[in-house]
Amino acid sequence: MYHTTAWRLALGLFAGLLALPAAAADRYVFDKAHTQILFFVDHLGFSRSQGEFLDYDGEFRFDPADWSAGSVQLTIRTHSIDMDDYEWNQHLRGQDFFRVNEYPEMSFKSLSVESSGENQGRIHGELTLLGVTRPVTLEVRFNKAGVHPFNKQYVAGFSASTRIKRSEFGMNYGLPMVGDEVEVMLEVEGFRQSE
């Protein structure tokens, strides 16, 4: 009788543990002073022009022991594009490119995150640009996590990159003289948040 009761208690405890949700990955918000969203595109064969977006919001979740628990959400205000030239900025905000009055935001949302090697991984997600949503995969390097030596906050840092074709989102101006393939590079630092 004792053994039967003990077994039932053990099984009940085990079942209860299985029913508990898995520990959530830590939540981070972007440190905007140390996060850059950059892109590069061929300019008439002479050079690769570089631009960046300066206004964005979002968060990510990350657990270095379980990449699959991670996620990313990012919303970028398209008017914040910066090419280091006023006229160029105005052109890219207009009807030929980002049409910022009609589409003031672009967004990325992860669908899954996976580890692909030591401190390496992939984020599979969807990018929405000009009202078109398409799959995008980011190649990610986990750089470091720890307490910042100056502000004493817990920080995680990453480098990520991907390539997209702007024509797949309906951005066709200047093709093929201005490149179709756009290389996107992100340097990210985030502050861990208490839940």
Side-chain angles (χ1 to χ4, degrees), residues 16-188:
L17 289 173
L18 289 178
L20 290 174
D26 289 331
R27 185 172 74 90
Y28 294 81
V29 297
F30 294 104
D31 171 7
K32 294 186 178 182
H34 299 101
T35 295
Q36 291 82 43
I37 302 172
L38 309 170
F39 65 88
F40 298 82
V41 64
D42 181 81
H43 182 248
L44 308 174
F46 294 116
S47 67
R48 291 204 318 149
S49 293
Q50 178 262 320
E52 63 182 317
F53 292 95
L54 302 175
D55 187 9
Y56 55 90
D57 281 305
E59 65 176 40
F60 61 90
R61 291 181 178 270
F62 182 65
D63 178 355
D66 182 9
W67 285 55
S68 67
S71 64
V72 179
Q73 293 186 21
L74 175 64
T75 299
I76 299 169
R77 258 72 72 179
T78 52
H79 74 270
S80 71
I81 192 169
D82 185 10
M83 304 294 295
D84 296 321
D85 181 85
Y86 175 80
E87 292 186 2
W88 206 355
N89 288 348
Q90 294 303 107
H91 189 194
L92 284 168
R93 291 169 184 154
Q95 289 300 111
D96 290 336
F97 289 98
F98 285 92
R99 297 154 60 184
V100 301
N101 290 332
E102 187 178 356
Y103 300 103
E105 295 180 343
M106 59 190 289
S107 63
F108 177 81
K109 181 178 180 180
S110 65
L111 300 176
S112 65
V113 181
E114 63 175 346
S115 173
S116 60
E118 185 176 359
N119 294 329
Q120 305 288 324
R122 296 185 183 94
I123 302 172
H124 305 282
E126 292 180 333
L127 175 66
T128 299
L129 170 62
L130 299 179
V132 177
T133 301
R134 296 190 59 85
V136 169
T137 297
L138 291 164
E139 298 290 336
V140 181
R141 182 178 73 242
F142 170 45
N143 295 322
K144 181 181 178 180
V147 176
H148 194 287
F150 300 126
N151 61 35
K152 306 307 179 184
Q153 296 190 67
Y154 193 89
V155 175
F158 303 84
S159 301
S161 64
T162 190
R163 294 176 185 269
I164 64 171
K165 288 191 174 181
R166 61 187 179 94
S167 62
E168 293 182 345
F169 297 88
M171 190 184 290
N172 299 309
Y173 178 85
L175 296 174
M177 292 182 294
V178 177
D180 188 13
E181 185 176 81
V182 180
E183 182 180 10
V184 181
M185 300 180 66
L186 300 97
E187 294 295 327
V188 174

